Amino acid sequence: MSRSQTVLFLLAGTLVSLLAISPFLFGYLAAAKLVATSGMVSTVEQIRHLELLAVQISAATAQWQLVQEYSASTVTAAREISDKMVTEAAAFTEFLQKTNDGEKSSLRLEVEKLRRVEAEWLQVIVRLLDHTYALFKAAERSGQPGLIEQMGHFQNSCRDVTRRIGLVPFAPATDEPFDPDRHQPSGSESDPVSGARVLEAVATGYTYQGRLLRPALVTLENPRSAEGMERLAAPEVDGKQSKKALIKETLL
């Protein structure tokens, strides 16, 4: 076999071998291309997912910024409302204070007016009772039992009326111990000695709703001076001058 034949034989064998493996080669190349294509598709899908995720992140960021803006505006509005509430509360408190002060002033004026009116009508009633007591004492001095009884009933009726409003007259009895808290000496008897006793009630005292309104005006038996005590200790006096007359003279 010549050299050229050998070369041709080798070329023919190589060609046959190539033709024999070409299906497998083409299949491999197709599979490799398919794998590459699949990888590219997967990469593209992942890129698309990343883009969608980026869009979602952008949307979430925009929403978060919007929420922050709304939150800031809400906080600002709440602060403004709180400031307005504080201002309104202060103004309302001031208004209530002024109203309260005005009402207190009005009530104070009304109370003062009522007290003045009360004091005036108490003085009027006390004077009327004083006149009634003076009439009763005049009836006693007259010595007429019928007149004394009538004036006594009249005085008691007047006193019963005044007791309904809390005005109670009182008059100490003769020989009652002197009480400086409820009795007031008349005339020069402004400083009685200890143990002094009431001789006569010149004017009645009054209590109004439990408190002393005016002490009773009285004359006393016991004189203030030692000279009077000596005169009071005398054994007998003239028939024309009673012991009470002597005491009155001593007091004068």
Side-chain angles (χ1 to χ4, degrees), residues 142-199:
S142 68
Q144 301 179 16
L147 180 61
I148 294 173
E149 183 179 1
Q150 291 180 358
M151 292 306 301
H153 289 317
F154 176 70
Q155 179 178 242
N156 292 333
S157 298
C158 294
R159 290 182 174 182
D160 289 338
V161 172
T162 59
R163 285 190 181 94
R164 297 179 183 179
I165 61 172
L167 181 63
V168 180
F170 66 91
T174 303
D175 203 36
E176 180 179 333
F178 176 75
D179 185 358
D181 294 330
R182 294 172 58 86
H183 305 154
Q184 179 181 352
S186 63
S188 60
E189 303 169 357
S190 58
D191 189 16
V193 296
S194 176
R197 291 186 175 275
V198 175
L199 175 63

Side-chain angles (χ1 to χ4, degrees), residues 222-241:
N222 296 37
R224 294 182 297 121
S225 63
E227 180 183 356
M229 295 293 289
E230 291 176 359
R231 293 182 61 184
L232 185 60
E236 294 292 338
V237 294
D238 296 337
K240 296 182 180 180
Q241 187 178 20

Side-chain angles (χ1 to χ4, degrees), residues 83-157:
D83 294 339
K84 288 182 179 179
M85 289 178 64
V86 171
T87 304
E88 292 294 332
F92 184 68
T93 303
E94 184 179 359
F95 171 75
L96 286 179
Q97 185 66 33
K98 289 181 178 179
T99 304
N100 191 20
D101 293 341
E103 290 180 354
K104 285 182 178 179
S105 299
S106 300
L107 290 175
R108 191 178 297 108
L109 291 175
E110 292 297 328
V111 169
E112 290 177 356
K113 290 179 181 178
L114 289 175
R115 286 178 178 174
R116 286 197 297 268
V117 172
E118 182 186 39
E120 290 175 358
W121 62 256
L122 277 176
Q123 290 179 1
V124 172
I125 296 175
V126 165
R127 289 178 181 176
L128 290 175
L129 291 178
D130 286 341
H131 290 306
T132 304
Y133 182 73
L135 289 175
F136 175 72
K137 297 300 289 185
E140 282 187 338
R141 286 192 294 270
S142 68
Q144 301 179 16
L147 180 61
I148 294 173
E149 183 179 1
Q150 291 180 358
M151 292 306 301
H153 289 317
F154 176 70
Q155 179 178 242
N156 292 333
S157 298

Side-chain angles (χ1 to χ4, degrees), residues 54-84:
V55 171
Q56 291 178 352
I57 292 172
S58 298
T61 303
Q63 290 179 356
W64 179 250
Q65 290 178 352
L66 185 62
V67 168
Q68 284 184 336
E69 292 177 358
Y70 283 151
S71 298
S73 61
T74 303
V75 170
T76 303
R79 186 180 296 108
E80 292 177 355
I81 292 173
S82 178
D83 294 339
K84 288 182 179 179

